[in-house]
């Protein structure tokens, strides 16, 4: 078998493997609360992660999910009509 045929065979096997396995859901990167933080950070995931880590340091004893929800609630400002 030639090297190019072997390489093509390897790529095809990899592509078949990735297409047949189910997508894994990243639960810590989903949800309305995380989405709200992500919108507030203008799509900057690094900024959101910084906020989460800082909140975990300041408020120990809470899970990551609880911290994300807490930050989202704190950042929400009510819309007022003038």
């Amino acid at each position: 078998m030639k090297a190019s045929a072997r390489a093509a065979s390897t790529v095809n096997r990899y592509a078949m493997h990735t297409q047949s396995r189910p997508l894994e859901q990243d639960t810590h990167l989903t949800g309305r609360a995380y989405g709200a933080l992500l919108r507030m950070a203008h799509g900057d995931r690094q900024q959101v992660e910084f906020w989460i880590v800082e909140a975990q340091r300041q408020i120990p004893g809470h899970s990551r999910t609880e911290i994300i929800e807490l930050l989202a609630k704190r950042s929400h400002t009510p819309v007022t009509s003038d």
Side-chain angles (χ1 to χ4, degrees), residues 1-79:
M1 185 180 261
K2 292 184 177 181
S4 61
R6 240 187 341 257
S9 174
T10 303
V11 169
N12 288 338
R13 276 187 275 136
Y14 174 75
M16 286 175 34
H17 170 69
T18 57
Q19 292 173 5
S20 63
R21 83 181 153 178
L23 293 175
E24 297 173 7
Q25 186 177 24
D26 293 330
T27 56
H28 68 282
L29 296 178
T30 59
R32 288 186 173 184
Y34 191 88
L37 293 176
L38 196 57
R39 281 189 301 277
M40 197 168 71
H42 303 287
D44 186 355
R45 289 185 188 274
Q46 186 175 5
Q47 180 64 47
V48 174
E49 292 301 320
F50 175 76
W51 291 336
I52 293 168
V53 169
E54 285 300 310
Q56 285 176 322
R57 287 183 186 153
Q58 294 174 3
I59 312 168
H62 292 284
S63 71
R64 178 181 171 84
T65 304
E66 291 171 336
I67 291 291
I68 291 170
E69 290 174 4
L70 182 65
L71 287 172
K73 285 179 186 175
R74 284 184 179 179
S75 67
H76 180 69
T77 55
V79 177

